[in-house]
Amino acid sequence: MEQMKHSLKWKRIAMSFFGVIVTGFCIGAFQKANLGADPFTCFATGIANIFHSTYSTFYIIVTGTLLTGVFFIEKHYIGIATLINLFFTGMAADFMKRILDGLFPAPGMAARIVMMLFGIFGTCIAASVYFTADLGVSAYDACSLIAANKYKLMAFRLCRIATDSICVLTGFVCHVTIGIGTVITALFMGPVVQWFNTNVSEPFLYGRKGKEGTKK
């Protein structure tokens, strides 16, 4: 039993690293595709526009504010993956962007669409993997998880659609350009992540017996 728990712990850590790094790669692909940013980027950019400041400045401010709220409401969602997300997502995004810049200096629309789709579905898979690892999530991701799991407002997929839609609407009102990638992510990320949780990530982590089976 102890050996099983030890193995499970390291599998969860590996899943956290995988999820965060792939998320960064997907952000880089989104940036290169230039067909709309992810919802949280829209939100942070919109708030920055209000104060005539930069995205990087308000990304830190908004993330820090959300993280403080998460700490007092449900600090369970703050863990090693939160720190991994904080320090490695940006580096992974920049790394992927440099690779794509080298391979596709001036991509056509077909290539941009492929990059966008990679960004969307890759983000869904990565989010599912590191949500399931349950070693902490980003401050923004915690919002929909808390709404679904702590307050039982709606199923996770609906809570995610709600938070993403609020971010996109805020960005639009604050004169952020909304692209097709933004709309697709806002409407479909929640349901797709939930599907991957049930059919891929949880079976991979816990095996056929599921989460409850590992407690026996």
Side-chain angles (χ1 to χ4, degrees):
M1 180 61 71
E2 288 301 320
Q3 185 177 1
M4 181 182 295
K5 289 182 179 179
H6 183 75
S7 175
L8 194 64
K9 174 185 175 181
W10 284 105
K11 185 183 284 190
R12 291 167 66 194
I13 292 173
M15 289 172 68
S16 296
F17 268 102
F18 172 85
V20 170
I21 298 302
V22 172
T23 297
F25 289 164
C26 292
I27 292 173
F30 257 124
Q31 292 172 341
K32 185 62 179 178
N34 196 28
L35 291 172
D38 63 276
F40 183 65
T41 297
C42 286
F43 179 79
T45 303
I47 300 299
N49 288 346
I50 292 176
F51 292 94
H52 305 287
S53 186
T54 62
Y55 166 76
S56 59
T57 297
F58 269 83
Y59 177 84
I60 295 172
I61 293 173
V62 172
T63 300
T65 301
L66 291 176
L67 198 59
T68 301
V70 172
F71 178 81
F72 287 106
I73 295 172
E74 188 60 85
K75 61 183 178 182
H76 164 77
Y77 290 111
I78 299 175
I80 186 173
T82 310
L83 297 177
I84 296 171
N85 187 289
L86 185 62
F87 291 108
F88 289 98
T89 300
M91 288 191 291
D94 289 344
F95 177 74
M96 175 59 82
K97 180 67 161 46
R98 285 196 297 271
I99 289 177
L100 293 176
D101 283 341
L103 293 174
F104 307 99
M109 182 55 69
R112 291 169 64 196
I113 290 174
V114 170
M115 292 175 197
M116 179 193 73
L117 293 175
F118 169 79
I120 292 171
F121 289 103
T123 298
C124 291
I125 295 170
S128 171
V129 168
Y130 95 95
F131 287 177
T132 302
D134 198 25
L135 291 176
V137 297
S138 72
Y140 174 65
D141 290 331
C143 294
S144 51
L145 290 168
I146 289 172
N149 299 331
K150 181 178 177 66
Y151 294 110
K152 311 294 183 183
L153 297 181
M154 294 178 288
F156 168 77
R157 64 181 182 277
L158 300 177
C159 290
R160 184 70 190 215
I161 290 174
T163 57
D164 284 348
S165 297
I166 290 170
C167 286
V168 172
L169 181 60
T170 301
F172 177 76
V173 171
C174 298
H175 309 293
V176 176
T177 302
I178 306 300
I180 183 63
T182 309
V183 176
I184 293 174
T185 305
L187 295 178
F188 295 104
M189 184 172 177
V192 175
V193 169
Q194 188 156 6
W195 186 89
F196 274 110
N197 285 349
T198 303
N199 295 281
V200 179
S201 300
E202 291 176 4
F204 173 78
L205 179 59
Y206 300 112
R208 294 181 179 180
K209 293 182 179 181
K211 186 175 182 179
E212 294 303 317
T214 62
K215 297 179 180 179
K216 296 179 181 180

